Amino acid sequence: METQDKPVTIDRRRLLQAGLGGLGAWLARRWLVAPEARAAEASATPTKPRADACIVLWMNGGPSHVDTFDPKPGTKDAGPFRAIKTRAKGVSICEHLPRVAAEAHRLVILRGMTSREGSHERARQLGHTGHIPNPTVDHPALGAWVSARRGDPKAELPAFVSLGGPSAGGGFFGRAHGPFVVREPGRPPEDMAYGPGVSAARFDRRRAALGMLEDSFEKETQSAAVAERRAVFTQAVRMMRSPAAAAFDVSSEPAAVREAYGDTAFGRGCLAARRLVEAGVPFVEVSLDGWDTHEDNFERTKRLMGVLDPAMSALLRDLAERGKLDRTLVVWMGEFGRTPRLNGRGGRDHHPAAWSAVLAGGGVRGGITLGATDAQGEKVVERPVPVADLFATITSAMGLDPLETVPSPGGRPITLTDGGQVVREILL
């Protein structure tokens, strides 16, 4: 933390990252920002890092909070789902998450999540980058920040892997920090072998020829895209030739382990996420699509919980039994919640005003809830948590500085979190 009482120090890394324009903005921010604002910023400074890795379970479409982790039994449109007690004292969740309930002593349930973004595209962008979409800035995803700050350029596996969904890109950090996307989780990525009739030596000769063409193109155009493409291609070749790539393939796991996660793409994704984290990947996202339940909400949500329940609970238990959960932050979230009131089609619509997120593992307390919604689940009435605060908390738990500021390609100072404050109550 920097204060006015301490001399200004600018390390070489910050200087290189900022460039002259960004450095000017950083200095101006340091001396021109009001003391009160500086004090507020101080409250967002990083806590002791606990997590080496983060696994995000992304519920694409926006899961109903009142049908999952914030049940409202007895209310008008609560529907047929019952609330059940969990292993955490005084905490109840939906009856269709019984295995997650057995792991609730590891969970912190944030029932006061709130935002203003009610469209899928904008809310997904917010949920992946921590920033409201802005047409003038291509914000990096959280995984891209982790890749840029935690990734090893010489690593054999990507620092940011997305299983079963596209996640969000590297933004102004570039494609080298974007997600490595695997559409079919649990299987080896496509195109990992040499083409028919191509040996390793022939492959290398082709790479050398490509390098000569790129040299000529770069000399002629001065395009920065050449270096970026080379970085991605070089990383891909390292992964092709690395035994660590076996982490993507869950077929070698004992049948009992695979069965525990569930015979679904999401279950295989969660198992692959555990293997990838063990292999040193610092950020993995696993997607479960289908939560946009404008129609037939209860049957569809029940079916999705039947996929989520074994996978999420097995992931938490497996990580804990292997001694990895304390160093791995697991995050469950979607882009928003759903309306407590049913529409005319038996569905629930978008509801960004109140929703839930769940954290477990690296650096967070377990067996608690934070925040509350009203009797219907319409509004947050206790301890609201904006998305920026969730991001500040996640990044802080991972040892990143939520206030780190870098210049965008246009010279604008961009902060890792959009003014977020760390939710210290849930951290160890």
Side-chain angles (χ1 to χ4, degrees):
M1 180 178 69
E2 298 163 347
T3 73
Q4 291 180 331
D5 298 328
K6 295 181 179 179
V8 178
T9 58
I10 307 171
D11 60 33
R12 180 173 174 271
R13 183 183 183 188
R14 172 170 282 169
L15 180 61
L16 291 173
Q17 288 169 344
L20 290 178
L23 179 61
W26 178 79
L27 290 170
R29 179 170 173 269
R30 175 177 175 79
W31 279 303
L32 298 180
V33 171
E36 293 80 3
R38 296 281 303 277
E41 286 186 354
S43 68
T45 52
T47 59
K48 182 180 179 181
R50 299 274 184 165
D52 299 322
C54 180
I55 299 174
V56 173
L57 307 181
W58 180 260
M59 303 295 107
N60 201 48
S64 166
H65 55 301
V66 296
D67 295 321
T68 55
F69 288 99
D70 190 11
K72 303 292 183 182
T75 54
K76 178 175 178 291
D77 288 333
F81 298 166
R82 294 183 302 112
I84 58 171
K85 294 181 179 179
T86 70
R87 192 168 172 182
K89 185 178 180 181
V91 178
S92 297
I93 62 176
C94 179
E95 64 173 321
H96 297 299
L97 295 171
R99 300 182 195 184
V100 173
E103 303 296 327
H105 59 296
R106 311 185 197 278
L107 308 180
V108 52
I109 302 174
L110 302 177
R111 287 175 170 166
M113 292 300 304
T114 184
S115 83
R116 296 180 177 179
E117 301 299 336
S119 78
H120 288 293
E121 183 177 359
R122 291 180 62 84
R124 283 175 188 146
Q125 183 73 5
L126 174 63
H128 280 99
T129 69
H131 288 263
I132 295 170
N134 182 331
T136 65
V137 180
D138 187 8
H139 286 285
L142 176 57
W145 277 92
V146 173
S147 172
R149 295 295 174 263
R150 286 282 190 83
D152 178 358
K154 296 182 179 178
E156 295 177 345
L157 295 179
F160 178 13
V161 174
S162 182
L163 303 171
S167 187
F172 58 73
F173 282 151
R175 293 183 182 277
H177 295 292
F180 179 76
V181 178
V182 179
R183 295 289 181 183
E184 295 188 53
R187 296 183 178 181
E190 296 179 351
D191 301 322
M192 290 285 285
Y194 300 123
V198 178
S199 65
R202 187 176 182 185
F203 182 81
D204 286 339
R205 289 197 296 273
R206 289 181 173 182
R207 287 184 64 199
L210 177 61
M212 287 189 290
L213 292 173
E214 287 179 331
D215 287 342
S216 175
F217 182 77
E218 186 175 31
K219 185 176 180 180
E220 181 178 338
T221 65
Q222 303 295 311
S223 172
V226 175
E228 189 177 21
R229 196 214 64 79
R230 275 182 172 157
V232 173
F233 192 78
T234 300
Q235 185 182 55
V237 173
R238 272 201 305 271
M239 185 171 69
M240 284 174 59
R241 293 173 167 173
S242 171
F248 287 98
D249 185 2
V250 304
S251 63
S252 62
E253 290 285 337
V257 173
R258 285 181 276 130
E259 290 171 6
Y261 280 80
D263 186 19
T264 62
F266 182 71
R268 290 186 287 276
C270 287
L271 179 51
R274 189 219 78 199
R275 291 168 57 87
L276 289 166
V277 165
E278 288 181 322
V281 177
F283 196 95
V284 184
E285 178 174 317
V286 191
S287 292
L288 178 57
D289 195 12
W291 295 92
D292 195 20
T293 54
H294 291 285
E295 298 178 357
D296 194 19
N297 173 76
F298 296 112
E299 281 302 314
R300 292 171 63 187
T301 301
K302 178 181 177 181
R303 187 163 58 248
L304 287 163
M305 286 190 283
V307 174
L308 171 67
D309 189 48
M312 182 175 178
S313 58
L315 175 64
L316 296 173
R317 187 173 58 254
D318 211 0
L319 286 170
E321 291 175 352
R322 289 167 174 267
K324 296 289 291 185
L325 187 58
D326 288 344
R327 307 295 295 183
T328 305
L329 180 63
V330 179
V331 180
W332 177 93
M333 64 180 293
E335 56 260 52
F336 39 59
R338 307 205 74 82
T339 51
R341 285 174 293 180
L342 293 170
N343 62 28
R345 296 168 289 171
R348 300 193 190 277
D349 301 320
H350 304 175
H351 194 66
W355 45 289
S356 298
V358 180
L359 282 70
V364 301
R365 299 168 61 194
I368 61 172
T369 64
L370 182 73
T373 55
D374 62 14
Q376 305 297 321
E378 289 272 0
K379 299 177 181 177
V380 176
V381 295
E382 179 183 314
R383 191 57 171 96
V385 176
V387 174
D389 288 5
L390 176 64
F391 267 62
T393 307
I394 294 171
T395 55
S396 182
M398 294 196 70
L400 303 178
D401 181 358
L403 298 179
E404 181 181 358
T405 302
V406 298
S408 71
R412 289 180 56 185
I414 303 297
T415 308
L416 170 51
T417 62
D418 192 10
Q421 300 291 301
V422 176
V423 184
R424 295 190 178 279
E425 305 97 300
I426 68 170
L427 297 180
L428 293 171

